[in-house]
Amino acid sequence: MRREEMESKGDETLMMMDAAQMNNQKPQEEFFNVNYLRIYYGKTPLSLSLFLIIITFDLLVQTSQLLLNAGNLFPYSDIHKWLSYGHDGKHPGCDEYYFGRREFSFTLENDVYLRYKSFKNASSIEDAIKSTFPYKIDIGAVYSVDPDKRHAYSQTGTNVFTPVERELVFDIDITDYDDVRYCCSGADVCSKCWPLMTVAIKLIHTSLTDDFGFKHILWVFSGRRGVHCWVCDPKARRMTNEQRSAVAEYFRVYKGNENNARKVALMGYSLHPFLARSYVDFLKGFFEGELQATQSIFSSKDKYDKILGMISDEDIQSELREKWENSGRSSLSEEAISLVRWDQLKNTLQSKKHKAPTLRMCVEEIVFTFTYPRIDLEVSKHMNHLLKAPFCVHPKTGRVCVPIDPNNCDEFDPLAVPTLSQLIEEINSGGSRMDVDDDDDSDRCLLGKSIKFFRSSFLEPLLKSCKEK
């Protein structure tokens, strides 16, 4: 069953690789090893009988010791508490079937994709993960009925299987910035272009809290090239698709495509208050400072031609292009040249903006084009979209999808996020049991800081709010 097969069939989805499959598996990259994945998810020593046919006694002993030392690195209990939202059966009014109506999907080896999985409790999802060791785990909506039993309801002729609750989510990918970053492209990311993600986090988080009043917001590194945002307040989870679309459109500024030179059109004579705040507080300083320093976006003809194309007045385009083409060689650095040309562009537009109304917001449009968050709006608009679970491992990089503190996101380094191989090396060299459910041990492991932040800054305030309601 391949990715295009979107639905699973009962217990057949809880598949376990047999010895023959494991013997024929292709060599894994060092940072993402399928056996390391078993250890990360806490594969128990009893499962080692699967390995007897294909590995030597020495390797078996070594793997056994790793498993005994590892405990659970994946925080099953925390994920269950989060997605239960206080429906733990201990308080009046709790819906004991709430968690069981949540959709999960697993992506297994060889791109086997299993959707509409559901689990009654924390132990059942833990058992399922430990028996399938998914390469990726995605979280979906809470449905009106158990997703695993949806076929029984579909035969009744009534449309009872429908999403009823889902976090408001945002997905931002660095690849969508390829036309304005010159250090990397595609899935590659570095310290020069990652600040684009940092600005996106700051801007969107501020708006979600100040403009919409949301309090329980979780930002997560995607594991490779972007960030995910989960807004978990009750009013966010209960939004209709129409309401989600309205929120997504509120953030929509970037409307162009690769065929348009002018990708942002800011209408009117002044910015909307939200955009004005974003421009002053986050975008302008970043554009004129860090972005110019790392990307030098006016330093060469192919770069500045792209920007000149955003100016609607062809005479101004020609004037600036001629000035820059005839400027000759300079002893200035690329950054300095870029800053000089930016000042020249601003001064020229300022002196001639009376010529056409379209020039009034041209400077702001350029800044927004290069720096404003490029959100995948379709992910935010519909309840049935899935999003990668926090703390799962990205199969391309081996990095864990750790939470990001929005108040200190400048300090976040995606290249410093621990990989599977680093976690296993830590376990192997530590000689002590490292279990995320043990607060003392979690302090000493590579994931300790991330898990503590998830618990103290997000989960505990969220669960306290749920109990109060």
Side-chain angles (χ1 to χ4, degrees):
M1 183 163 50
R2 299 296 175 183
R3 177 173 294 277
E4 61 269 17
E5 297 180 49
M6 298 300 288
E7 298 186 3
S8 57
K9 298 181 180 180
D11 293 338
E12 295 177 2
T13 61
L14 294 180
M15 297 182 296
M16 182 180 296
M17 292 180 66
D18 58 23
Q21 287 175 308
M22 294 169 60
N23 195 33
N24 292 328
Q25 73 180 22
K26 297 178 181 179
Q28 300 291 321
E29 295 290 342
E30 182 180 353
F31 50 73
F32 187 84
N33 182 291
V34 67
N35 293 319
Y36 288 174
L37 195 62
R38 290 188 180 92
I39 297 170
Y40 178 75
Y41 285 127
K43 190 79 170 176
T44 60
L46 291 176
S47 302
L48 290 172
S49 59
L50 294 173
F51 298 118
L52 289 175
I53 303 174
I54 57 172
I55 56 178
T56 65
F57 177 77
D58 288 341
L59 180 58
L60 176 61
V61 172
Q62 181 182 15
T63 306
S64 299
Q65 188 60 49
L66 280 172
L67 290 166
L68 288 170
N69 287 344
N72 289 333
L73 291 176
F74 185 78
Y76 295 101
S77 177
D78 294 317
I79 297 296
H80 176 258
K81 288 177 182 177
W82 163 35
L83 297 177
S84 295
Y85 289 104
H87 293 286
D88 54 8
K90 299 179 181 179
H91 305 281
C94 286
D95 179 359
E96 60 179 310
Y97 302 106
Y98 180 88
F99 183 79
R101 291 186 283 112
R102 169 78 70 168
E103 179 194 0
F104 293 86
S105 79
F106 291 170
T107 302
L108 308 184
E109 190 178 20
N110 296 322
D111 218 25
V112 176
Y113 186 56
L114 313 175
R115 203 178 161 177
Y116 296 116
K117 300 301 303 171
S118 58
F119 308 97
K120 293 182 179 180
N121 49 43
S123 60
S124 62
I125 190 173
E126 181 174 348
D127 291 343
I129 291 174
K130 287 181 177 180
S131 63
T132 58
F133 44 91
Y135 280 34
K136 187 160 76 82
I137 303 170
D138 288 301
I139 300 172
V142 177
Y143 282 82
S144 53
V145 296
D146 183 343
D148 236 359
K149 301 176 181 177
R150 67 198 179 283
H151 293 304
Y153 292 95
S154 64
Q155 295 173 0
T156 66
T158 59
N159 187 24
V160 295
F161 180 68
T162 184
V164 295
E165 195 170 303
R166 204 269 188 276
E167 297 79 9
L168 174 63
V169 295
F170 297 91
D171 183 7
I172 309 173
D173 198 324
I174 195 69
T175 57
D176 292 327
Y177 294 77
D178 277 358
D179 62 319
V180 295
R181 61 176 182 148
Y182 300 101
C183 51
C184 302
S185 63
D188 294 333
V189 66
C190 71
S191 60
K192 293 182 178 180
C193 55
W194 183 258
L196 289 162
M197 295 290 97
T198 302
V199 169
I201 294 172
K202 291 178 179 178
L203 188 155
I204 296 173
H205 190 83
T206 298
S207 182
L208 290 172
T209 55
D210 293 357
D211 300 339
F212 293 94
F214 294 129
K215 297 180 180 179
H216 304 290
I217 303 170
L218 176 66
W219 287 93
V220 182
F221 173 47
S222 71
R224 189 182 192 186
R225 59 191 182 190
V227 294
H228 300 155
C229 177
W230 302 75
V231 187
C232 303
D233 298 62
K235 63 180 180 180
R237 304 200 311 268
R238 294 164 189 163
M239 281 182 172
T240 64
N241 285 340
E242 291 74 18
Q243 291 169 329
R244 294 167 192 269
S245 294
V247 174
E249 289 296 330
Y250 179 82
F251 288 108
R252 186 180 183 187
V253 168
Y254 182 84
K255 300 179 181 180
N257 57 53
E258 60 184 11
N259 298 318
N260 299 120
R262 190 180 176 195
K263 296 179 172 62
V264 173
L266 302 173
M267 308 305 294
Y269 294 97
S270 62
L271 291 172
H272 181 281
F274 156 62
L275 298 180
R277 181 189 65 209
S278 299
Y279 181 76
V280 172
D281 291 352
F282 305 112
L283 305 182
K284 183 176 183 292
F286 173 69
F287 179 89
E288 296 183 339
E290 190 166 1
L291 189 73
Q292 292 284 10
T294 58
Q295 306 297 331
S296 300
I297 60 176
F298 289 90
S299 61
S300 62
K301 188 177 187 303
D302 60 328
K303 292 181 180 181
Y304 66 64
D305 269 346
K306 183 185 300 183
I307 299 172
L308 292 177
M310 301 177 194
I311 301 174
S312 59
D313 189 295
E314 292 184 1
D315 291 338
I316 295 178
Q317 287 187 33
S318 299
E319 177 185 335
L320 289 170
R321 183 178 290 108
E322 182 179 359
K323 180 184 296 185
W324 296 341
E325 287 179 352
N326 298 329
S327 60
R329 299 185 63 179
S330 173
S331 60
L332 296 176
S333 65
E334 286 191 349
E335 178 186 353
I337 292 173
S338 191
L339 288 171
V340 168
R341 289 173 176 172
W342 172 238
D343 284 337
Q344 291 172 343
L345 182 148
K346 287 192 297 182
N347 293 334
T348 301
L349 288 175
Q350 178 66 29
S351 64
K352 299 183 179 182
K353 67 179 181 181
H354 62 280
K355 292 180 57 178
T358 55
L359 294 177
R360 292 180 183 273
M361 305 293 288
C362 190
V363 169
E364 289 84 354
E365 288 177 2
I366 293 171
V367 173
F368 272 85
T369 297
F370 276 82
T371 62
Y372 188 81
R374 302 184 178 187
I375 302 169
D376 186 341
L377 297 179
E378 294 306 309
V379 172
S380 303
K381 289 181 176 181
H382 303 287
M383 296 179 72
N384 61 352
H385 268 286
L386 295 138
L387 198 62
K388 191 185 304 175
F391 293 106
C392 70
V393 181
H394 197 292
K396 298 294 185 182
T397 65
R399 298 194 188 278
V400 181
C401 302
V402 296
I404 300 173
D405 182 355
N407 297 317
N408 296 287
C409 53
D410 286 308
E411 301 174 5
F412 182 81
D413 179 2
L415 303 180
V417 173
T419 63
L420 262 184
S421 57
Q422 290 171 336
L423 292 171
I424 302 308
E425 181 180 355
E426 178 187 51
I427 295 169
N428 196 28
S429 62
S432 62
R433 182 179 179 85
M434 294 189 180
D435 196 322
V436 299
D437 291 328
D438 187 325
D439 287 337
D440 292 335
D441 281 339
S442 67
D443 270 341
R444 298 196 297 272
C445 69
L446 288 171
L447 284 181
K449 185 177 180 180
S450 296
I451 291 172
K452 283 217 163 187
F453 170 77
F454 179 82
R455 289 172 178 165
S456 61
S457 297
F458 170 72
L459 184 59
E460 291 174 5
L462 174 64
L463 295 182
K464 181 179 178 182
S465 174
C466 291
K467 290 180 180 179
E468 290 173 351
K469 292 183 181 299

